């Protein structure tokens, strides 16, 4: 066939299809990132989300009478508990840290400001480790050692949890739910940190595919934490243990994001020093 016949070669057809597919994927990423950024950036919706978390923890355990007790989530050693819940802070730091890094640096081009915003994750890690040690201390101080027999004889000469377990006995104490604390804390942090993406887009800062993808991954991770939190409160732990864990997580979030981060000697609130605003009779200034 002559070269000028106008018939496209297979390679050019594949390139055209690939171009269409790439444009479609980019359009979907752009659309969903814009919509979700708008939702997370609405203050009243964030307050409604806080009520949702409280409702899940307070009323979720009532569903235990209507679910299958042999479900996979009723087992402490299920796949999601081992791979995600126990390392929830690590997953949160990876995805949320990447998002904070890109948003702050692309908006300001200032390394020190970027490190300052990332330090909020270090504060969160410190709170998580401190809470874990506190929960273990509470369990140790309030517990008793029992023989692993149906009668559950009290072992009076063992008053330490680790010694009790090492001797083959069982320890019964007030076990504040660390998983409920961690999942609630991660949810509150992620909603607070990702809410700035709405203002970021509104002010025309660079928003390429990597940033939008990391934002969508954070939203997916947030959805997963909500699902696993619901499973935890329905299937695992005693009622008061879960409520206390969630309450302490909410207190940690409030004291940092609503109190300390408003001070000048803190890591700062999400978005601090990044966005421009115009006041009455004033030029643009950093917010």
């Amino acid at each position: 066939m002559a070269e000028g016949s106008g018939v496209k070669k297979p390679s050019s057809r594949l390139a055209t299809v690939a171009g269409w597919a790439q444009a479609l994927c980019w359009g979907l990423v752009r659309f969903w990132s814009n919509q979700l950024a708008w939702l997370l950036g609405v203050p009243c919706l964030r307050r409604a989300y806080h009520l949702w978390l409280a409702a899940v923890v307070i009323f979720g355990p009532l569903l235990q009478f209507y679910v299958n007790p042999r479900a996979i989530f009723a087992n402490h050693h299920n796949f999601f508990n081992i791979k995600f819940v126990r390392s929830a802070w690590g997953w949160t730091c990876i995805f949320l840290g990447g998002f904070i890094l890109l948003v702050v640096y692309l908006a300001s081009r200032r390394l020190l400001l970027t490190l300052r915003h990332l330090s909020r994750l270090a504060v969160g890690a410190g709170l998580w480790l401190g809470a874990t040690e506190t929960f273990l201390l509470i369990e140790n101080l309030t517990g008793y050692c029992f023989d692993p027999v149906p009668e559950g004889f009290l072992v009076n000469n063992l008053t330490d949890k680790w010694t009790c377990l090492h001797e083959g006995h069982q320890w019964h104490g007030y076990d504040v739910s660390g998983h409920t604390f961690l999942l609630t804390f991660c949810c509150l942090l992620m909603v607070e940190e990702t809410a700035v993406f709405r203002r970021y887009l509104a002010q025309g800062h660079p928003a390429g595919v990597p940033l939008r993808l990391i934002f969508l991954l954070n939203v997916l991770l947030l959805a997963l934490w909500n699902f696993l939190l619901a499973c935890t409160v329905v299937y695992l732990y005693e009622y008061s243990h879960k409520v206390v864990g969630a309450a302490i997580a909410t207190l940690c979030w409030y004291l940092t994001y609503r109190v300390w981060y408003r001070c000048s000697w803190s890591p700062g609130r999400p978005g601090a020093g990044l966005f421009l605003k115009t006041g009455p009779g004033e030029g643009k200034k950093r917010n």
Side-chain angles (χ1 to χ4, degrees), residues 185-244:
F185 191 54
C186 289
C187 287
L188 291 171
L189 260 64
M190 295 188 76
V191 168
E192 201 76 27
E193 295 288 349
T194 54
V196 303
F197 199 47
R198 181 186 182 185
R199 294 180 65 191
Y200 179 92
L201 294 175
Q203 297 205 358
H205 292 298
V209 175
L211 176 56
R212 290 179 180 273
L213 283 178
I214 195 68
F215 170 74
L216 291 176
L217 288 174
N218 274 279
V219 175
L220 288 175
L221 188 63
L222 176 61
L224 178 62
W225 290 162
N226 278 268
F227 172 72
L228 293 179
L229 176 63
C231 292
T232 299
V233 300
V234 171
Y235 289 102
L236 305 174
Y237 300 103
E238 295 183 15
Y239 181 78
S240 67
H241 299 177
K242 294 176 281 196
V243 172
V244 171

Side-chain angles (χ1 to χ4, degrees), residues 117-171:
H117 280 272
L118 286 172
S119 67
R120 288 194 297 271
L121 294 179
V123 173
L127 290 172
W128 160 233
L129 293 175
T132 301
E133 293 300 321
T134 302
F135 296 162
L136 292 175
L137 179 62
I138 292 173
E139 185 182 9
N140 194 39
L141 293 176
T142 60
Y144 300 93
C145 191
F146 291 86
D147 269 330
V149 293
E151 294 80 5
F153 294 112
L154 179 65
V155 182
N156 291 316
N157 62 328
L158 296 178
T159 58
D160 178 76
K161 175 183 177 180
W162 311 117
T163 305
C164 173
L165 297 177
H166 182 71
E167 295 292 332
H169 305 297
Q170 294 180 352
W171 185 265

Side-chain angles (χ1 to χ4, degrees), residues 61-136:
L62 299 177
L63 297 177
Q64 64 183 321
F65 303 107
Y66 305 98
V67 297
N68 183 4
R70 296 188 180 89
I72 182 175
F73 298 104
N75 185 347
H76 277 272
H77 303 289
N78 68 71
F79 173 82
F80 291 97
N81 249 8
I82 295 174
K83 297 299 183 181
F84 292 100
V85 178
R86 293 181 182 178
S87 55
W89 185 251
W91 287 107
T92 301
C93 281
I94 292 173
F95 288 96
L96 194 56
F99 174 76
I100 296 173
L101 173 66
L102 290 175
V103 164
V104 178
Y105 188 75
L106 290 175
S108 67
R109 303 292 178 177
R110 295 160 58 188
L111 181 59
L112 291 180
L113 182 61
T114 303
L115 294 176
R116 180 185 179 186
H117 280 272
L118 286 172
S119 67
R120 288 194 297 271
L121 294 179
V123 173
L127 290 172
W128 160 233
L129 293 175
T132 301
E133 293 300 321
T134 302
F135 296 162
L136 292 175

